[in-house]
Amino acid sequence: MIIQLNKNIKPEDKNKIISELKTKNYSCSEVKTMQGNYLVAIGKAEIDIRQIGVLKGVADIHKVSDNYKLVSRKWKTDYSEIDLGNDIKIGSNNFSIMAGPCSIENEEQIIEMVKHLKANNVKIMRGGVFKPRSSPYSFRGLGIEGLKVFSKHCKEAGIKIITEVMQVSQIEDMIDYVDIFQVGARNSQNFNLLDELGKTNKPVMLKRGLAGTIDELLFSAEYIFSAGNEQIILCERGIRSYEKAYRNTLDINAIPILKEKSHLPVIVDPSHAIGIRQFIEPLALASIMAGADGIIFEMHKQPEIAFSDGQQSLNYAESEKLYKNIRKTYDFRSSLS
Ligand code: PEP
Ligand code: MN
């Protein structure tokens, strides 16, 4: 059950609600975000929610049968919108394109890429400075100094940054330089990291784990929300299956299922899903038709010499073709009845 409280509720009124729920064997967790003040009540007894709904200080009350609560659409039927500022929004009636290299490699690359994105009206640039690599001998990113340069050029151009945070200790150093924190597939259930990101005021894009179920993804999102941050984006990036013909299996099914179960925006990453450059476009377009709120993909001026994931990175010309076709496909989807 989710009880939305009035913003200026008196402590005694709140305590009355909590003790009333306690008598019915419900335990309460209080969640305060920038948008609202909630009690999440967990219990098994059948109760008439009107008995709680009439109490002083209750703005709204909902029964949520899912095990995750605040990210469920059973409570919030309208899709959430995340505002990055400068009229750049994610979710609801907005479609997002996020593009950029797998790893930030040097300043010249940033300057050129920013120019390319601006010319193509792409408002969000991706790029890792802390890279989770399967081998410790691979390039592991430029770190915080790289992020500062990345941020400087993007800020000047009015482009927003999404970049991966790998551990709690990095949050404080990164926070002034990122617009969206990315939680990578390998950290999808790093609950300490999720808790700490929940205490920040920056949007978080949470990737599905390599072998994560949809429910596990939503529970991870619930960690962020319940710690105080409602600005969450879900990302389908392919799951590991028995198939070896490509990197991962893009779970197209997950898109409409997530949109049904949750009010959070769903972004699809075809690059880390199929991992093969020539098939990024068809998967991106299929994802849009399946209901995605945006696409994130990897690109590089010269994919052949990229420090990481060149095999799945599009070059500039391929990216330009993809932006056009993404926009056409989104318009087509919007035109369907
Ligand atoms: C990435 O986006 O750079 C990345 C490492 O992705 P994932 O966590 O999905 O593997
Ligand atoms: Mn990559």
Side-chain angles (χ1 to χ4, degrees), residues 143-159:
I144 193 72
E145 293 311 315
L147 179 59
K148 287 181 184 170
V149 181
F150 185 15
S151 163
K152 173 176 166 278
H153 291 290
C154 284
K155 274 207 177 107
E156 278 169 18
I159 285 181

Side-chain angles (χ1 to χ4, degrees), residues 22-195:
K22 229 183 217 160
T23 63
K24 299 180 190 313
N25 286 328
Y26 274 70
S27 66
C28 279
S29 301
E30 191 176 354
V31 173
K32 263 195 189 153
T33 72
M34 295 215 310
Q35 285 83 356
N37 192 358
Y38 315 93
L39 287 176
V40 181
I42 309 287
K44 289 206 167 70
E46 264 304 316
I47 59 172
D48 182 345
I49 60 170
R50 286 172 300 185
Q51 290 173 359
I52 305 294
V54 294
L55 298 175
K56 230 168 150 188
V58 174
D60 209 353
I61 181 161
H62 297 269
K63 239 182 198 168
V64 181
S65 53
D66 295 328
N67 288 329
Y68 42 84
K69 305 287 177 195
L70 293 158
V71 302
S72 171
R73 241 183 113 222
K74 295 213 171 91
W75 157 61
K76 186 169 182 279
T77 49
D78 288 345
Y79 287 113
S80 291
E81 183 177 83
I82 290 161
D83 193 346
L84 300 178
N86 307 102
D87 219 23
I88 304 172
K89 293 176 181 155
I90 298 175
S92 191
N93 292 317
N94 307 282
F95 192 85
S96 305
I97 302 179
M98 309 175 183
C102 177
S103 306
I104 297 295
E105 297 173 4
N106 53 57
E107 185 165 16
E108 192 192 337
Q109 177 204 40
I110 301 167
I111 294 171
E112 278 190 3
M113 188 87 65
V114 163
K115 215 184 270 172
H116 160 92
L117 295 176
K118 216 164 155 67
N120 287 283
N121 201 23
V122 174
K123 309 250 170 66
I124 305 172
M125 178 165 165
R126 62 148 288 144
V129 293
F130 295 111
K131 296 301 303 177
R133 302 305 302 278
S134 299
S135 161
Y137 308 116
S138 304
F139 177 63
R140 290 158 78 175
L142 295 181
I144 193 72
E145 293 311 315
L147 179 59
K148 287 181 184 170
V149 181
F150 185 15
S151 163
K152 173 176 166 278
H153 291 290
C154 284
K155 274 207 177 107
E156 278 169 18
I159 285 181
K160 303 294 178 185
I161 287 183
I162 177 167
T163 193
E164 177 162 354
V165 56
M166 285 177 62
Q167 52 179 316
V168 171
S169 61
Q170 292 164 348
I171 297 175
E172 202 180 320
D173 289 342
M174 293 174 75
I175 195 150
D176 291 336
Y177 306 101
V178 304
D179 298 291
I180 305 170
F181 279 116
Q182 175 174 314
V183 175
R186 291 153 194 84
N187 263 323
S188 197
Q189 287 191 304
N190 180 340
F191 301 122
N192 289 334
L193 181 62
L194 303 177
D195 263 342

